[in-house]
Amino acid sequence: MAEIPNTNREQAKVVDLASVQAACHGCSLRQLCLPMGVNQVDLHRLDEIVRRSRPMQRGKHVFRLGDQFHAIYAIRSGSVKTYTMTDAGSEQITGFHLPGELIGLDAIATGSHPCGAKALETATVCELPFLQLEELAVQVPSLQHQLLRLMSKEILSDGELLTLLGKKSAEERLAALIFSLSARFKERGFSPNEFRLSMSRNDIADYLGLAVETVSRLFTRFQQQGLIDVQNKQVTIRDHDRLKELAGSNAEDRAPQARA
Amino acid sequence: MAEIPNTNREQAKVVDLASVQAACHGCSLRQLCLPMGVNQVDLHRLDEIVRRSRPMQRGKHVFRLGDQFHAIYAIRSGSVKTYTMTDAGSEQITGFHLPGELIGLDAIATGSHPCGAKALETATVCELPFLQLEELAVQVPSLQHQLLRLMSKEILSDGELLTLLGKKSAEERLAALIFSLSARFKERGFSPNEFRLSMSRNDIADYLGLAVETVSRLFTRFQQQGLIDVQNKQVTIRDHDRLKELAGSNAEDRAPQARA
DNA sequence: CGACTTTTTGATCCGATTCAATACGCGTGG
DNA sequence: CCACGCGTATTGAATCGGATCAAAAAGTCG
């Protein structure tokens, strides 16, 4: 399954290059996103139903809380946060999403978006009208499979987050987030050890179920401990192993005084 | 879409009655479970791939953590808890599941069960071999739709749980659990105001991310406040509205000192 | 009935929140 | 280019909710 480079030798018209990159089959995220495992022919059919957004800037909504559901969205570039509102004003952030990830899946059941999605930085998304997608999935088993897989992955990662929020200390939570981002950047071909946090401290705190102040203090502490380097939003991981250990769970530290 | 009663007038052999009840089309959970929206003809095809378990008693596993994935399961009767293990021994319970709910969906992506499932009381489940289910879903759009719907529902409820664990106080958490159980019992035709908790206090604590002692104290307090009546595992809801309010979020109470 | 597990209750402790204040980063306009 | 102002982030001190430790009480089961 050789990668097709982002150039088109045969007819190198500008237009073609652009459209190839825009289309699923030219997208660098193909292997992470819905198209994975879908053959070239069927990929064109998927391409036909995809609507690509123009770049949307920081703070713009992909969809709002309560919007009627008609499509799911794949992040194409940039990053997006999803959130719900607790009855008072505070947001509970349910996820930070990177390119290749699908959002809006939680709306299928109810027909309206139970959470909103907002760009954390300039971002582009692909809109996948759900009715058409469903129809196509019936005809393209590999697409159905990948859709189920991605939904399952979402359920899986929600489950992990549940453990995080249910059982882990503030320290572990932040370590886990940094570690998760690192791993996901790596998957996408970016440096796993040096990246920019597109979300604010406040967003991080909301996501992790902590107070902003706590998050801030932790960043400072992690830096003092030589785990990471933080400069505003720029993070450099200094001790990947220790970070991983902390993220995975240092539960053993707290475990019964076994291991004399 | 008239309801078909649980009896079979035409050929009332005992065997038939049993097999009708056992089959999806005779199942009282049809409207909640995977069969919803699937027509009679296709329902028979679904029936052919379903494997019904004999009753499994309390503590028995439907599947274990790490088991290879080959099927998802629908609860048919009784109740089941799903859980993961944090690296130290403590379980994080990820859900309590009632008849008509699907479990094992989180394993599709990885091929092995990231969480275990254990009967909380005597329970029966329907095993749905995934490969066959997927195949059938391609041929039966309404089945595909319902599968996606149920997965979406799972993602949705995970999201709610996230908010619960991320943002809510111990009080709110327990109220939310009781309220959720009440609502789900109601859906299934049981009394919403009087039911038995099939799980232990410990399970509840693990699920809610609290200590057992806290849960216990809260039950006592709720009773003193006249919200509920608790007698061991038997719960009677006394003030449905106040419980709902507490569960939904009494965030306003804590909100800015507005409302002078 | 007696051993064991589960639940409840009480006392103490600690991590994280909250309140308060300062510092920093960044865009704007002088 | 620097001064100003506003939102974001950091730091410090006090407080509190829930965990933990300890022990009694109530169920459960052979």
Side-chain angles (χ1 to χ4, degrees), chain B residues 126-142:
Chain B
C126 298
E127 181 178 323
L128 300 149
F130 189 66
L131 288 178
Q132 292 170 263
L133 184 62
E134 238 185 336
E135 220 173 289
L136 188 59
V138 174
Q139 295 163 38
V140 181
S142 60

Side-chain angles (χ1 to χ4, degrees), chain A residues 60-78:
Chain A
K60 281 285 188 310
H61 278 267
V62 180
F63 49 80
R64 285 169 194 279
L65 208 146
D67 273 2
Q68 208 199 333
F69 171 65
H70 68 98
I72 61 178
Y73 299 83
I75 318 288
R76 187 177 173 71
S77 70

Side-chain angles (χ1 to χ4, degrees), chain B residues 76-98:
Chain B
R76 187 174 175 72
S77 71
S79 53
V80 169
K81 67 174 174 181
T82 47
Y83 62 93
T84 52
M85 225 57 153
T86 108
D87 316 44
S90 82
E91 354 189 88
Q92 166 71 31
I93 291 186
T94 54
F96 299 120
H97 305 277
L98 301 184

Side-chain angles (χ1 to χ4, degrees), chain B residues 169-171 209-211 213-214 217 232:
Chain B
S169 70
E171 237 186 7
L210 300 170
E213 294 93 326
T214 306
R217 279 183 249 271
N232 305 324

Side-chain angles (χ1 to χ4, degrees), chain B residues 15 58 60 90 95 118 130 142 148 165 191 202 225 231 237 239 260:
Chain B
V15 193
R58 179 185 165 78
K60 280 285 188 307
S90 82
K118 204 188 254 196
F130 189 66
S142 60
L148 291 174
L165 295 181
S191 163
N202 224 306
Q225 295 174 341
Q231 211 130 231
I237 296 180
D239 191 335

Side-chain angles (χ1 to χ4, degrees), chain A residues 113-124:
Chain A
H113 286 283
C115 70
K118 202 188 256 196
L120 284 165
E121 61 194 315
T122 305
T124 52

